[in-house]
Amino acid sequence: MSADTLLYLPGIAGHPADSPALDALRAAGGDVVVPTIPGLDGRSGFAVPDDHLGWLVVVWDALDATGALPCPVVGASLGGMLAADLAILRPEAVTALVLLAPFGIFDEANPGLDVYALPAAERMGHLFAKGVPEPFVERFAALGPDDGPVARYLSDVAAASLLWPLGDRGHADRLHRISCPTQVLWGELDELLPVAVAASWEEHGLPVATIPGAGHLLEWDQPEAVATRITEFLN
Amino acid sequence: MGLVDQAEFHYFHFFPYTRLPPDHGERESLWVDFPNSNYDPAVGHELYNRYLQQMVLADSLGYDGLVLNEHHNTQYSMNPAPNLTAAALIPQTKSWISVFGTPPNLGYPNRLAEEYAMLDVMSGGRLKVAFPLGTGMEYWANAVNPATARARFRESIDVILRCWTDDGPQTFAGDFYTYRYLNPWPRPVQQPHPECFLVGTGSPETIELAAELGFGYSVVFIPRVAQLKVFDSYRERLAHHGHEPTPDKIAFGVFAYVAENDDLAEQEFLPHIMYFFENNLRTTARYLNPPGYVTVPEFRKRIQAADVHGTTNWDDLVAINRIVAGTPEKVADAIGGWIEEAGANRITLNLTIGDMPHWKVVKNTTLFAEEVIPRLRARKAAPKEVVA
């Protein structure tokens, strides 16, 4: 594995394809490894873990299978929540951490949009500030009208099981355990986790920078800006 | 002894909250997020008393049992804790009390086993129980991840059965519920335990579980024709697991109104049953189906199925449900036909529905008891046709 390898954990909508942001990171000279997170890929046959610890075991197995660790880790959305726990619980595995609008802390004053209370067909539109990128539109279309909705449902179930009901898994009580260099980035137009929620992470000594013109999945809305921030931080 | 004349008639009450604000029609859903500021406790007090009186009346008229259910965050039902209502009914009644029921996975199952045992002991062995998974809406209202709903449901039933059938203290090490000393007091009067049902909408998993456990099956909210296939499947699986598929193991619902003539019956019934489907049941697909609540086969079925929650077309309602309004003879004919058609004779009667005023409830409850049930008890053969 390259010394410049970084590992990317995708967000609430899974990983339909490499984003322009990942392409930009690779163009900057690094390798980006994207693990397959069971459940989020929409495949059938995966039993959703009973609890958060069960999920961490599933995710760590997937991360370890890449052979990329220890390395810098970039986690987006629910992937950010998982990446934070990796850095907290396995500090030797994470040399640097970038969190893109991570779940993990619920702010009562800034509850954001309850995405699962939206009709399924409308959810995706609220994840982005600049329209739904084509890879997300097409993600399960190839499976056909019968199996495509099922795959999307299974992916939603996996993500929702990690986040239900508030996306809070007690991170506020353990963020002080993060010991590696860390940068938090947040989209200014995030509907799910309003940018004000970033203050809850900043309170724990984690530096936050905001990205204009970006929604919840900011690396898709502003790929160049996000890639530049990540590259500058890691360098 | 025939199927019809041996039928059991259990009187069901939703305990609806009916004082809705004038602008409630603007709301997409009257469940989950319908603000509880719309609930007036003074009105609730009056309704609780009225509904309890109606249940006591049904008991005094000789219905085989009284049935309660549980829902949360809704005007559909003021029974988020039906065991409390059952406890209030016990000293005033003598018939079966069916709690159909509390989703066992929404709380701690040992606690539910204790409460049901209390009711069984307090009533001298008059309790029947059904375990529902609960609607999808219950998972927005309670602190249970819907993705784990079915696994928790299965395990919670195991806990309850262990509480009732095995001598304590015992240990239980489950995925969700763990006990060092599972040793609940009291234990039920009925041995090995009160008669149990599962509540289902036709999902194969629920049918299989009911059959495996030898439980009855109480069907809700699927079209009548589809129910018949479900019943056949349940009977086949029940026999497969070595349990006799007797007609009383299947419970199905009937909406009925009895009056002096057919026109008057429809005229008096229609506004309230329409109120029930248009208002009490008004919710949305997203609340019905929180992520993980349904299995993949059920998900496939639901994205293709008609939604009866909030349906307003009368013809569709009659086609989907067992609804009849008319003279005692007409109502008896319809119900007798449905019993024969289903091969099942545990009837859950919805004689009070929606915003039906007290006088209509009393009239309908009384006429059904005095004019319809005796007609059905007197029957030995199948009626000529089903009248809907």
XYZ file of all heavy atoms in Angstrom, chain A residues 160-220:
471
model
N -30.152 3.903 7.824
C -31.076 4.341 8.874
C -30.826 3.603 10.175
O -30.989 4.169 11.256
C -32.522 4.140 8.418
N -30.437 2.340 10.071
C -30.205 1.590 11.309
C -29.023 2.160 12.080
O -28.951 2.044 13.297
C -29.975 0.111 11.003
O -28.664 -0.115 10.542
N -28.101 2.789 11.357
C -26.962 3.440 12.007
C -27.347 4.777 12.634
O -26.685 5.234 13.577
C -25.850 3.683 10.976
C -24.832 2.573 10.806
C -24.157 2.676 9.438
C -23.787 2.665 11.902
N -28.386 5.387 12.076
C -28.691 6.765 12.465
C -29.964 6.926 13.283
O -30.152 7.951 13.931
C -28.808 7.638 11.201
C -27.568 7.690 10.315
C -27.857 8.481 9.040
C -26.402 8.299 11.064
N -30.868 5.951 13.214
C -32.184 6.084 13.848
C -32.055 6.284 15.353
O -31.256 5.591 15.968
C -32.985 4.808 13.575
C -34.427 4.924 13.953
C -34.962 4.724 15.188
C -35.506 5.283 13.095
N -36.304 4.912 15.151
C -36.672 5.261 13.896
C -35.614 5.611 11.742
C -37.936 5.552 13.374
C -36.853 5.904 11.234
C -37.996 5.877 12.040
N -32.804 7.222 15.942
C -33.689 8.158 15.253
C -33.075 9.534 15.018
O -33.588 10.292 14.227
C -34.859 8.280 16.229
C -34.202 8.153 17.584
C -33.041 7.211 17.403
N -31.996 9.863 15.709
C -31.483 11.235 15.676
C -30.069 11.339 15.127
O -29.520 12.434 15.044
C -31.506 11.840 17.094
C -32.882 11.942 17.756
C -32.736 12.434 19.204
C -33.778 12.890 16.965
N -29.463 10.217 14.801
C -28.078 10.283 14.324
C -27.080 10.570 15.426
O -25.958 11.013 15.166
N -27.482 10.337 16.639
C -26.601 10.594 17.784
C -26.190 9.260 18.395
O -27.037 8.488 18.835
C -27.330 11.441 18.829
C -26.384 11.945 19.915
O -25.590 11.139 20.442
O -26.440 13.148 20.233
N -24.889 9.005 18.425
C -24.403 7.770 19.042
C -23.435 8.070 20.177
O -22.506 7.325 20.458
C -23.733 6.881 17.978
C -24.718 6.284 16.978
C -25.692 5.307 17.660
N -26.629 4.684 16.723
C -27.846 5.157 16.448
N -28.271 6.255 17.046
N -28.637 4.536 15.596
N -23.662 9.203 20.804
C -22.915 9.535 22.013
C -21.495 10.022 21.770
O -20.646 9.972 22.676
N -21.204 10.521 20.576
C -19.831 10.939 20.272
C -19.357 12.093 21.140
O -18.153 12.230 21.379
C -19.711 11.298 18.788
C -19.651 10.092 17.896
N -20.696 9.204 17.786
C -18.658 9.626 17.092
C -20.351 8.242 16.956
N -19.129 8.457 16.516
N -20.302 12.910 21.582
C -19.889 14.057 22.400
C -19.134 13.607 23.651
O -18.297 14.348 24.188
C -21.114 14.875 22.801
N -19.401 12.408 24.100
C -18.752 11.914 25.324
C -17.394 11.273 25.068
O -16.707 10.881 26.021
C -19.654 10.882 26.015
C -20.954 11.491 26.496
O -20.957 12.702 26.797
O -21.966 10.771 26.558
N -17.007 11.129 23.787
C -15.733 10.431 23.541
C -14.832 11.118 22.522
O -13.748 10.614 22.228
C -15.977 8.979 23.145
C -16.909 8.733 21.956
C -17.120 7.222 21.755
N -17.930 6.915 20.588
C -19.242 6.708 20.611
N -19.915 6.829 21.731
N -19.895 6.404 19.481
N -15.264 12.265 22.004
C -14.425 12.934 21.008
C -13.071 13.347 21.582
O -12.093 13.493 20.847
C -15.148 14.166 20.442
C -16.309 13.883 19.479
C -16.890 15.199 18.965
C -15.849 13.016 18.303
N -13.011 13.554 22.904
C -11.740 13.969 23.516
C -10.668 12.902 23.370
O -9.490 13.147 23.608
C -11.949 14.306 24.998
C -12.331 13.132 25.833
N -13.626 12.662 25.920
C -11.590 12.316 26.636
C -13.661 11.619 26.728
N -12.433 11.380 27.172
N -11.074 11.693 22.965
C -10.106 10.601 22.808
C -9.389 10.664 21.454
O -8.436 9.910 21.233
C -10.806 9.243 22.929
C -11.492 8.988 24.256
C -10.531 8.759 25.392
N -9.584 7.673 25.125
C -8.597 7.303 25.939
N -8.424 7.973 27.082
N -7.795 6.310 25.646
N -9.866 11.537 20.550
C -9.185 11.637 19.253
C -7.815 12.273 19.462
O -7.698 13.381 20.003
C -10.016 12.466 18.252
C -11.313 11.721 17.897
C -9.206 12.748 16.981
C -12.224 12.478 16.948
N -6.790 11.580 18.996
C -5.424 12.065 19.240
C -4.684 12.419 17.960
O -3.610 13.026 18.008
C -4.626 11.008 20.018
O -4.655 9.761 19.332
N -5.241 12.059 16.807
C -4.537 12.358 15.552
C -4.945 13.741 15.042
O -5.977 14.284 15.458
C -4.852 11.284 14.506
S -6.578 11.255 14.012
N -4.152 14.325 14.145
C -4.557 15.600 13.530
C -5.918 15.433 12.847
O -6.136 14.458 12.128
C -3.453 15.874 12.515
C -2.296 15.075 12.982
C -2.847 13.855 13.637
N -6.793 16.388 13.085
C -8.171 16.248 12.597
C -8.656 17.567 12.004
O -8.360 18.645 12.523
C -9.108 15.836 13.748
O -8.667 14.573 14.267
C -10.553 15.698 13.262
N -9.409 17.460 10.926
C -10.058 18.620 10.305
C -11.509 18.255 10.032
O -11.814 17.186 9.491
C -9.375 18.984 8.981
C -10.056 20.096 8.202
C -9.949 21.459 8.895
O -8.857 21.957 9.181
N -11.105 22.054 9.195
N -12.421 19.147 10.421
C -13.849 18.956 10.139
C -14.252 19.961 9.060
O -13.938 21.152 9.168
C -14.697 19.176 11.404
C -16.179 19.013 11.084
C -14.261 18.218 12.516
N -14.943 19.496 8.041
C -15.467 20.361 6.987
C -16.993 20.240 6.970
O -17.531 19.144 7.183
C -14.908 19.967 5.617
C -13.381 19.960 5.471
C -12.986 19.490 4.058
C -12.799 21.348 5.742
N -17.660 21.343 6.704
C -19.128 21.327 6.763
C -19.699 22.169 5.629
O -19.252 23.289 5.401
C -19.592 21.919 8.099
C -20.753 21.180 8.705
C -22.056 21.241 8.288
C -20.726 20.273 9.812
N -22.838 20.420 9.076
C -22.052 19.817 10.017
C -19.715 19.796 10.649
C -22.390 18.907 11.030
C -20.058 18.904 11.649
C -21.382 18.466 11.844
N -20.715 21.656 4.947
C -21.398 22.428 3.907
C -22.293 23.491 4.519
O -23.064 23.198 5.431
N -22.178 24.690 4.004
C -22.970 25.781 4.587
C -24.469 25.602 4.346
O -25.286 26.224 5.010
C -22.509 27.121 4.012
C -21.174 27.576 4.573
C -20.813 28.984 4.155
O -21.440 29.512 3.203
O -19.893 29.547 4.763
N -24.822 24.781 3.367
C -26.234 24.603 3.023
C -26.763 23.227 3.435
O -27.763 22.752 2.903
C -26.427 24.802 1.511
C -25.936 26.145 0.957
C -26.107 26.197 -0.567
C -26.675 27.305 1.615
N -26.098 22.618 4.379
C -26.500 21.282 4.829
C -27.904 21.328 5.437
O -28.148 22.069 6.374
C -25.487 20.767 5.873
C -25.618 19.276 6.139
O -26.740 18.751 6.091
O -24.577 18.641 6.403
N -28.825 20.538 4.908
C -30.192 20.500 5.437
C -30.338 19.469 6.550
O -31.177 19.617 7.432
C -31.198 20.150 4.331
C -31.376 21.210 3.279
C -32.481 20.825 2.311
O -33.653 20.812 2.720
O -32.157 20.515 1.149
N -29.562 18.384 6.486
C -29.708 17.312 7.478
C -29.038 17.682 8.793
O -29.584 17.454 9.876
C -29.103 16.007 6.953
C -30.005 15.125 6.088
C -30.478 15.860 4.849
C -29.291 13.851 5.723
N -27.824 18.207 8.662
C -27.062 18.648 9.828
C -26.690 20.105 9.585
O -25.654 20.406 8.990
C -25.797 17.801 9.998
C -26.006 16.303 10.229
C -24.667 15.555 10.182
C -26.679 16.059 11.567
N -27.555 21.022 10.012
C -27.285 22.439 9.760
C -25.884 22.831 10.215
O -25.350 22.277 11.194
C -28.358 23.156 10.572
C -29.470 22.160 10.681
C -28.810 20.816 10.741
N -25.302 23.762 9.503
C -23.900 24.098 9.741
C -23.650 24.495 11.197
O -22.534 24.324 11.718
C -23.437 25.187 8.756
C -24.141 26.514 9.040
C -21.925 25.335 8.752
N -24.694 24.966 11.869
C -24.528 25.342 13.291
C -24.144 24.140 14.148
O -23.547 24.295 15.221
C -25.821 25.973 13.824
N -24.477 22.934 13.681
C -24.129 21.727 14.444
C -22.608 21.570 14.535
O -22.079 20.968 15.476
C -24.763 20.476 13.795
C -24.362 19.200 14.536
C -26.283 20.600 13.766
N -21.909 22.138 13.569
C -20.444 22.023 13.565
C -19.831 22.531 14.867
O -18.776 22.051 15.302
C -19.865 22.768 12.372
N -20.522 23.497 15.486
C -19.993 24.060 16.733
C -19.865 22.977 17.811
O -18.990 23.046 18.677
C -20.900 25.189 17.214
N -20.759 21.985 17.747
C -20.710 20.903 18.738
C -19.429 20.091 18.603
O -18.961 19.485 19.569
C -21.914 19.980 18.569
O -23.115 20.676 18.752
N -18.866 20.037 17.413
C -17.607 19.319 17.196
C -16.427 20.216 17.536
O -15.416 19.766 18.088
C -17.526 18.812 15.754
C -18.568 17.758 15.462
C -19.907 17.963 15.285
C -18.347 16.350 15.380
N -20.538 16.760 15.090
C -19.615 15.751 15.135
C -17.225 15.532 15.476
C -19.767 14.377 14.990
C -17.380 14.162 15.327
C -18.635 13.588 15.093
N -16.600 21.502 17.207
C -15.535 22.468 17.480
C -15.295 22.592 18.983
O -14.150 22.773 19.431
C -15.913 23.833 16.890
C -14.739 24.723 16.567
C -15.140 25.844 15.618
O -16.334 26.211 15.597
O -14.249 26.342 14.895
N -16.393 22.448 19.752
C -16.273 22.535 21.216
C -15.293 21.508 21.776
O -14.752 21.679 22.866
C -17.636 22.258 21.885
C -18.611 23.391 21.825
C -19.981 22.976 22.355
O -20.063 21.879 22.967
O -20.939 23.726 22.130
N -15.097 20.440 21.040
C -14.210 19.368 21.505
C -12.804 19.500 20.928
O -12.045 18.529 20.898
C -14.807 18.007 21.165
C -16.114 17.757 21.878
N -16.179 17.288 23.167
C -17.387 17.960 21.494
C -17.452 17.201 23.545
N -18.198 17.606 22.545
N -12.494 20.721 20.468
C -11.137 20.990 20.005
C -10.866 20.559 18.581
O -9.704 20.503 18.157
N -11.914 20.248 17.832
C -11.716 19.824 16.447
C -11.961 21.025 15.528
O -13.061 21.587 15.519
C -12.690 18.689 16.096
C -12.621 17.469 17.029
C -13.671 16.436 16.634
C -11.234 16.841 17.017
N -10.948 21.459 14.769
C -11.099 22.643 13.922
C -12.114 22.409 12.812
O -12.136 21.346 12.193
C -9.694 22.864 13.355
C -8.999 21.559 13.486
C -9.597 20.859 14.663
N -12.941 23.405 12.578
C -14.007 23.305 11.578
C -13.801 24.370 10.518
O -13.501 25.522 10.819
C -15.399 23.490 12.239
C -16.489 23.564 11.168
C -15.684 22.362 13.229
N -13.987 23.986 9.268
C -14.030 24.954 8.165
C -15.311 24.698 7.386
O -15.734 23.545 7.236
C -12.810 24.792 7.260
N -15.930 25.763 6.926
C -17.180 25.598 6.187
C -16.922 25.750 4.694
O -16.003 26.446 4.258
C -18.237 26.616 6.643
O -17.705 27.933 6.500
C -18.604 26.370 8.105
N -17.789 25.085 3.929
C -17.663 25.094 2.474
C -18.901 25.761 1.888
O -20.009 25.218 2.005
C -17.542 23.653 1.919
C -16.380 22.905 2.582
C -17.414 23.667 0.399
C -14.987 23.454 2.268
N -18.749 26.927 1.276
C -19.913 27.605 0.687
C -20.500 26.794 -0.472
O -19.800 26.054 -1.166
C -19.331 28.934 0.172
C -18.023 29.094 0.877
C -17.518 27.714 1.143
N -21.810 26.928 -0.637
C -22.456 26.310 -1.794
C -22.538 24.802 -1.725
O -22.748 24.141 -2.745
N -22.395 24.243 -0.533
C -22.412 22.785 -0.393
C -23.490 22.351 0.585
O -23.727 23.000 1.609
C -21.051 22.277 0.088
N -24.129 21.242 0.263
C -25.114 20.636 1.140
C -24.480 19.562 1.999
O -23.276 19.613 2.295
N -25.309 18.559 2.364
C -24.825 17.547 3.311
C -23.670 16.731 2.728
O -22.642 16.538 3.394
C -25.974 16.628 3.712
C -25.563 15.573 4.683
N -25.077 15.865 5.931
C -25.532 14.214 4.583
C -24.779 14.745 6.570
N -25.034 13.728 5.769
N -23.828 16.258 1.507
C -22.727 15.500 0.885
C -21.843 16.492 0.137
O -21.822 16.558 -1.102
C -23.296 14.405 -0.016
C -24.114 13.329 0.750
C -24.644 12.265 -0.201
C -23.283 12.687 1.868
N -21.072 17.223 0.905
C -20.356 18.376 0.367
C -19.292 18.002 -0.650
O -18.981 18.790 -1.548
C -19.755 19.206 1.497
C -18.814 18.547 2.498
C -17.982 19.644 3.163
C -19.582 17.831 3.590
N -18.749 16.780 -0.546
C -17.702 16.409 -1.501
C -18.281 16.220 -2.900
O -17.532 16.238 -3.884
C -16.975 15.141 -1.027
C -17.754 13.854 -1.122
C -18.621 13.576 0.095
O -19.112 14.536 0.687
O -18.836 12.394 0.434
N -19.577 16.033 -3.002
C -20.222 15.957 -4.324
C -20.629 17.337 -4.808
O -20.586 17.623 -6.000
C -21.452 15.039 -4.268
C -21.087 13.593 -4.148
C -20.871 12.886 -3.007
C -20.859 12.680 -5.227
N -20.529 11.594 -3.296
C -20.527 11.430 -4.650
C -20.919 12.780 -6.618
C -20.234 10.306 -5.427
C -20.649 11.664 -7.386
C -20.307 10.443 -6.796
